[in-house]
Amino acid sequence: MKLGTRLLLALLPTVTAIMIFVAGWALVEREQTVVPAAQQEARAYATALGLALDGALRDVRSEQVQAIIDQVSREPTVYGIILYDSAGIQVLASDPLNAPGPPPEALLHRVLQSGTTVTLERAIGEERVFSVLRALHGPRGRITGAVEVAQPMDFVEAQQAQVRRRYFLNTLALLIALTATTLWLVRRVVAQPMERLVLGARELGGGNLAHRIVDEGTSSELAVLASELNRMAGNLEAARRNEAREAEERVGLERRLRETEKLAAIGNLAAGLAHEIAAPLNVISGRAELMLRRVPPETDESRQLQIIIRQISRITTTVQNLLGFAKRREFVPRAIDLGNVLNGVFDFLDAEFHRAGVKVTAERSGSSPVIGDPDLLHDVLVNVLLNAVQALEGLDGERAVMVRLAVSIPLAQLPLAGTPMPAAMTDSRWTIIEVRDNGPGITPEALPQLFEPYFTTKARGTGLGLVVAQSIMQEHGGWLDARNAPAGGAIFRLVLPPAPESMRG
């Protein structure tokens, strides 16, 4: 059962009982005043009529006296008026009292002898009345008779019934108004706030920590409880965000740990290959070159030896890449200008661009120092640009590569594509180098595996170039991002943090 309903069930019967008790007590008090008031009114009529009739009984057949008592008896509170002479004999009676019957003889004689006023209840015909007997006086105060003013008891009872009915209707109306007011107050002050609290608790229990209970701006206990629930929801929401962020960081750390383990395995493999393969390869390559000089050119033996020498050269290059990856020189960070690094890379690859027929354009939106090692960043840019050139091989039409350098880019404006990123990203401004080609782009199957060791889409690739490049970028506090361009082609982004003021000079 709801709290509002329990309050109503406890409050309304109590209030109703109190109101009924008060109304009953007031009704009894009022009824007790009805009879004395009616009697007082009858005495007043008797007194006034007695004063008017004193001395008038010398002519008891006076039509004027009859008219007076008939007129007074027409009042709704007066049943009838009877006049008695000094001997107690009825001499006049108001219409329609034809034969009313005398009051008790003893009381009438007492009034006529002593001149006192007497009240009594008696029956006139079938009507119960309340009568007042008053003496009438003549000249020099002599008692000349008496007047009886009769008031109907049913009039008094009707007044009492009217009082009861009025009190009942007033009590009922007040009870209805109080019930409606109580219902509204309980609904407004208790039920509605409790419904909001229950809804808020249900939403919070269901995991919707963004839900907030409407604040009414009051200082009631329920409003304070709603405010505390909102504060608790805010704390839980913040804790959930922190937990989600920490979970993402843990996932990132685990991913980087796995990558580090893979790289460590590659390094161990490379070191072993260096000792096991390098020396025999040099011997085989030297013997093959010696034999090539001894056979005539343009012969099958010469062609086979050339194939052997090329394959040995390819294996030697792979071993050198592994050695370079395993024994990359120490990273020495300092503030550098990426524009100068780009110029060096363009000069270094100019012949390769010309050979592949690739048009390279550069766009720079500013210059800002970054923290980095120019030689390592040179290697990353060479790797990315050579990948772009190789992606354009076999492309009909124009072959173009666009390189854009942008500085002071907010992190929110960098659309990423599911590549490894650093766990801690501040709200600072970042510097990016974007390399975009107009080639066929990256297949959806290959995109998630680009930075996995030994994964390659090239016939002669080793699958280590982008792994090494990503590792170098992570050492710089940034990352390497790859995605397909909406209009076609691939986009590689080198994202680097800005150099702190202490390292600029």
Side-chain angles (χ1 to χ4, degrees):
M1 186 181 295
K2 293 184 178 179
L3 177 60
T5 305
R6 292 201 299 270
L7 286 175
L8 289 175
L9 291 178
L11 183 61
L12 289 180
T14 303
V15 173
T16 302
I18 293 174
M19 290 185 62
I20 291 175
F21 172 77
V22 173
W25 175 78
L27 178 61
V28 172
E29 291 289 324
R30 182 69 180 90
E31 286 182 346
Q32 289 177 353
T33 63
V34 170
V35 174
Q39 294 174 352
Q40 184 66 29
E41 186 178 4
R43 292 190 187 96
Y45 277 120
T47 301
L49 192 58
L51 293 174
L53 296 178
D54 279 346
L57 290 181
R58 290 170 298 182
D59 185 7
V60 295
R61 299 185 184 279
S62 172
E63 295 179 356
Q64 185 178 3
V65 174
Q66 183 67 47
I68 291 174
I69 62 176
D70 287 342
Q71 184 177 1
V72 174
S73 66
R74 293 189 185 99
E75 292 294 325
T77 59
V78 178
Y79 180 71
I81 299 172
I82 307 171
L83 296 181
Y84 303 94
D85 59 11
S86 59
I89 300 173
Q90 176 181 326
V91 293
L92 285 177
S94 62
D95 186 54
L97 297 178
N98 297 321
E105 185 176 352
L107 292 177
L108 181 57
H109 286 167
R110 190 175 70 180
V111 172
L112 292 174
Q113 291 176 3
S114 63
T116 59
T117 300
V118 177
T119 60
L120 70 153
E121 292 184 11
R122 74 184 186 98
I124 298 179
E126 296 181 356
E127 186 74 25
R128 291 178 61 251
V129 297
F130 173 78
S131 294
V132 178
L133 282 172
R134 182 186 183 280
L136 297 175
H137 300 81
R140 291 186 292 274
R142 183 172 63 88
I143 296 175
T144 59
V147 61
E148 180 183 4
V149 179
Q151 188 180 48
M153 294 298 293
D154 58 354
F155 175 76
V156 177
E157 294 172 352
Q159 280 190 317
Q160 290 178 332
Q162 184 180 5
V163 169
R164 294 190 191 99
R165 185 167 55 253
R166 185 169 64 249
Y167 268 80
F168 173 76
L169 293 177
N170 290 341
T171 303
L172 181 61
L174 184 60
L175 183 61
I176 292 174
L178 184 60
T179 301
T181 303
T182 304
L183 286 173
W184 181 83
L185 287 176
V186 170
R187 177 68 179 169
R188 178 70 176 82
V189 179
V190 178
Q192 289 181 350
M194 286 300 299
E195 288 176 359
R196 287 192 289 269
L197 289 175
V198 171
L199 177 60
R202 185 178 296 117
E203 291 291 332
L204 295 180
N208 183 14
L209 300 181
H211 179 80
R212 294 294 181 271
I213 302 173
V214 179
D215 187 4
E216 296 180 341
T218 62
S219 57
S220 64
E221 289 81 356
L222 293 179
V224 173
L225 178 59
S227 177
E228 290 299 318
L229 283 176
N230 288 338
R231 187 174 64 84
M232 181 184 69
N235 294 337
L236 290 176
E237 188 176 16
R240 174 184 284 183
R241 288 196 299 267
N242 293 335
E243 184 179 356
R245 184 174 63 252
E246 292 174 357
E248 291 178 358
E249 292 178 356
R250 286 195 299 271
V251 171
L253 288 173
E254 292 174 359
R255 183 177 59 244
R256 286 193 296 276
L257 179 61
R258 289 194 298 270
E259 292 175 356
T260 302
E261 292 174 349
K262 291 179 182 179
L263 296 179
I266 295 172
N268 294 331
L269 176 62
L273 288 174
H275 293 286
E276 299 295 333
I277 300 178
L281 284 178
N282 288 332
V283 173
I284 294 172
S285 178
R287 297 293 178 89
E289 290 176 357
L290 180 62
M291 293 176 64
L292 181 62
R293 287 196 295 269
R294 294 178 178 179
V295 299
E298 303 300 333
T299 61
D300 183 65
E301 290 82 356
S302 175
R303 184 174 62 82
Q304 296 296 335
L305 289 172
Q306 289 176 358
I307 292 174
I308 292 172
I309 292 173
R310 285 197 301 271
Q311 293 302 319
I312 292 175
S313 176
R314 180 174 175 273
I315 296 174
T316 302
T317 301
T318 301
V319 172
Q320 289 175 349
N321 288 335
L322 287 172
L323 289 175
F325 173 74
K327 297 182 179 181
R328 190 170 62 246
R329 68 179 183 81
E330 183 181 358
F331 169 62
V332 182
R334 61 181 180 274
I336 61 173
D337 189 344
L338 280 178
N340 296 333
V341 177
L342 274 175
N343 291 334
V345 171
F346 290 153
D347 292 340
F348 180 75
L349 296 177
D350 183 66
E352 184 66 23
F353 294 152
H354 181 73
R355 180 198 64 78
V358 176
K359 179 182 178 182
V360 180
T361 57
E363 177 184 332
R364 303 179 186 181
S365 61
S367 178
S368 176
V370 298
I371 301 174
D373 186 314
D375 294 332
L376 293 178
L377 291 177
H378 178 277
D379 294 342
V380 173
L381 286 168
V382 167
N383 185 289
V384 172
L385 284 170
L386 284 179
N387 284 343
V389 170
Q390 294 171 3
L392 296 175
E393 291 180 357
L395 179 67
D396 296 333
E398 183 184 16
R399 302 176 182 178
V401 174
M402 174 67 181
V403 181
R404 183 173 70 94
L405 172 63
V407 299
S408 297
I409 304 298
L411 185 63
Q413 297 182 11
L414 297 177
L416 308 176
T419 53
M421 294 171 285
M425 295 183 183
T426 64
D427 194 24
S428 59
R429 301 280 178 158
W430 298 72
T431 298
I432 66 169
I433 298 178
E434 182 179 275
V435 178
R436 179 189 303 239
D437 63 63
N438 64 339
I442 307 169
T443 63
E445 296 79 12
L447 188 60
Q449 307 179 63
L450 282 181
F451 300 97
E452 295 289 336
Y454 299 116
F455 176 80
T456 181
T457 58
K458 305 172 186 176
R460 294 177 295 173
T462 62
L464 293 173
L466 290 178
V467 176
V468 174
Q470 181 69 275
S471 176
I472 293 173
M473 293 300 298
Q474 290 177 352
E475 286 182 345
H476 282 72
W479 69 92
L480 178 62
D481 175 58
R483 61 189 294 121
N484 285 315
I491 300 176
F492 282 81
R493 288 190 181 97
L494 285 72
V495 184
L496 293 167
E501 294 293 337
S502 59
M503 298 189 65
R504 302 184 185 185

